[in-house]
Amino acid sequence: MKRVKVVVVGAGVVGLSTAVCVAETLPHCSVTVIAEKFSPDTTGDGAAGILLPREFPDIPLERQRRWFKESFDHLLAIADSPQASDAGVYLSSGYHIFKEIPCDKKPFWSEFVFGFRYMTDREMKRFPNHKFGQAFTTLKCECLSYLPWLEKRLRAVGGQIIREKVTDLHKLALNYDAIMNCSGLGSRFLVNDEEVYPVRGQMLKVSAPWLKNFIRDGDGNTYIYPGIRYVSIGGTRQANDWRLEVDEEDSEGILERCCRLEPSLRAAQVMGEWVGLRPSRANPRVERQYLHVQGRQVPLVHNYGHGSCGVTLSWGTALDALELLRQSLFEKPPQARL
C-alpha cells in the first residue's frame, strides 16, 4: 500500500497526542509534526494538567463523556505502568469547593474519576466561605515530562518532527496527503477562525512539599495543585487578553486567595511565575473538511479549541481526529502528486 504522508500542525498536548494516535494505529501513514514551539515552550508546559472537564454547550454529552473517559483511561494506564515517572502521570486527590451550591451537584465526569462523593460538613468547616464541595481522585499529567515522552513515543514508530512556523495550509498540502490542524490559538490566523480566542492564565510555582491534596474553587479562578517539582497555585481567566508578561497585581491576588484557602502557603517560597494563553472556543472544533489543491482533495482534520481542557480531553479528541482521518483516506484515497 502506498505510504500516506500525514502532517500534524502543532506540538502541544493535543497535537502530539493526535500524531501518536495516527502513527501507532495506521502503520501505512508516515507522520510529521510541524510546529513553531515544542516543549517546554507550549501552553501545556505551564498548565497544571489536572484532569477535570467542563461541559461544552453544543457538543452531545455522550461525545464529551467519551472524550473524557478515553483520555482518563489512557492516562490511568500510564500511571499504573513503569512509564509513570518518565511520563509525569499520577493520581491526585483533593477537593472541589463552591461558594454556592451548583445546579449539577453530580457532573457527567463523576463516574469516571475515583471515589467521587460530596464533602462532609466537617470537611467543609475548613472552607467557611464555601457551601458545597466534591471530593474525588483524578489524574495529574505534567506536560513538562509528558510532552517529551510523547515525542519519544512518536519517534519510536518513525514519526518526524520539524520546528517551523506554518502560515499556509494550502502550501503545506502540496507536500502531504492529509493535514491534522492542532494549532490551538494559531487557528485564528491559520484557518481564520475568529471563534477561537485567548483566555489568559497566570499562576505561581511555589515550594510547599507538605501539601498533598489539591483544592480548586468551583469558579476556576483559584486553585492549588501539588505536583512533582512544585505546587501550582493560580490563577486567572482573562478572556481576549493576549498579554504574556507577568502581572504583579495578578500574582498578589493569586497569593492572597490561595492563602485564604490554605493558610500554610504563607510559609511557601515562590519559585517562579508563568503566563499562558488557553486556546478557548465555545466548543472544541473536531471535524473534517477538504482542501482543493492542484486537482487533489486533501483531507484537513481540525482538532483544537479545548481551552483549559487540553490535557483533560487530549487523547479522546485525538481518537476522534484519527477516525475522521481514517474515514477520509478510505473514502477518498489520496491522488498521486504529479
Side-chain angles (χ1 to χ4, degrees):
M1 189 175 185
K2 175 183 176 292
R3 294 283 283 175
V4 177
K5 293 179 67 178
V6 177
V7 63
V8 178
V9 181
V13 67
V14 173
L16 287 177
S17 297
T18 302
V20 169
C21 279
V22 174
E24 291 185 349
T25 310
L26 303 178
H28 62 286
C29 290
S30 66
V31 179
T32 301
V33 174
I34 303 182
E36 183 182 15
K37 292 181 179 179
F38 287 82
S39 181
D41 300 317
T42 75
T43 301
D45 286 292
I50 200 90
L51 266 70
L52 185 63
R54 53 171 285 242
E55 194 171 321
F56 296 100
D58 304 315
I59 292 175
L61 200 54
E62 196 48 49
R63 193 181 191 197
Q64 298 186 55
R65 286 163 57 85
R66 180 165 46 79
W67 283 349
F68 181 61
K69 183 182 187 302
E70 288 170 345
S71 300
F72 193 94
D73 289 349
H74 159 75
L75 290 168
L76 179 62
I78 297 170
D80 285 342
S81 79
Q83 299 283 315
S85 176
D86 286 346
V89 181
Y90 53 94
L91 290 166
S92 181
S93 302
Y95 300 121
H96 194 200
I97 55 177
F98 298 81
K99 294 185 179 75
E100 300 295 335
I101 297 175
C103 298
D104 189 3
K105 297 202 300 188
K106 194 174 184 188
F108 74 89
W109 47 263
S110 59
E111 65 185 278
F112 303 121
V113 298
F114 294 133
F116 181 92
R117 62 177 176 81
Y118 301 153
M119 289 168 63
T120 64
D121 290 345
R122 186 172 173 223
E123 287 171 314
M124 289 306 299
K125 281 181 181 173
R126 292 187 61 206
F127 309 106
N129 295 320
H130 293 75
K131 294 181 180 177
F132 177 78
Q134 302 154 341
F136 53 92
T137 298
T138 185
L139 287 155
K140 196 169 186 296
C141 172
E142 302 203 348
C143 284
L144 275 173
S145 299
Y146 184 60
L147 294 187
W149 184 82
L150 280 180
E151 283 186 37
K152 189 175 170 185
R153 186 165 158 176
L154 177 63
R155 292 182 195 274
V157 288
Q160 303 290 311
I161 287 177
I162 298 172
R163 185 183 289 267
E164 186 178 293
K165 184 172 183 176
V166 175
T167 57
D168 188 332
L169 292 183
H170 283 83
K171 279 186 184 176
L172 202 59
L174 295 172
N175 298 308
Y176 292 94
D177 300 309
I179 299 172
M180 315 287 279
N181 173 30
C182 305
S183 61
L185 198 52
S187 290
R188 189 175 176 93
F189 313 102
L190 199 55
V191 294
N192 297 315
D193 183 355
E194 293 187 359
E195 290 183 44
V196 65
Y197 62 95
V199 173
R200 182 180 176 276
Q202 180 167 319
M203 67 98 170
L204 309 182
K205 305 172 183 179
V206 303
S207 176
W210 58 87
L211 292 183
K212 304 300 179 190
N213 296 318
F214 70 80
I215 304 170
R216 181 185 191 272
D217 192 300
D219 64 11
N221 286 325
T222 306
Y223 56 77
I224 300 164
Y225 293 129
I228 296 171
R229 302 170 183 86
Y230 50 80
V231 177
S232 302
I233 67 170
T236 63
R237 303 178 78 85
Q238 296 155 330
N240 292 304
D241 188 335
W242 292 85
R243 291 177 302 143
L244 285 167
E245 308 78 36
V246 169
D247 184 312
E248 290 307 323
E249 279 190 27
D250 285 340
S251 291
E252 289 167 14
I254 288 166
L255 263 174
E256 184 56 39
R257 294 196 310 274
C258 289
C259 286
R260 278 203 295 270
L261 290 184
E262 180 53 69
S264 73
L265 279 171
R266 296 202 184 276
Q269 180 184 352
V270 176
M271 300 164 60
E273 298 164 300
W274 179 86
V275 175
L277 304 179
R278 305 174 183 93
S280 297
R281 209 170 177 274
N283 304 279
R285 188 181 186 191
V286 187
E287 62 186 30
R288 177 189 61 196
Q289 59 184 142
Y290 288 91
L291 292 179
H292 302 282
V293 181
Q294 294 185 348
R296 296 162 54 237
Q297 289 211 88
V298 178
L300 170 60
V301 178
H302 299 289
N303 184 11
Y304 67 86
H306 299 58
S308 59
C309 296
V311 173
T312 295
L313 303 177
S314 55
W315 201 257
T317 63
L319 289 172
D320 261 17
L322 164 67
E323 187 54 34
L324 290 169
L325 174 69
R326 197 200 319 247
Q327 289 169 10
S328 63
L329 295 178
F330 176 73
E331 293 163 6
K332 298 180 184 293
Q335 299 162 30
R337 288 189 301 275
L338 301 176

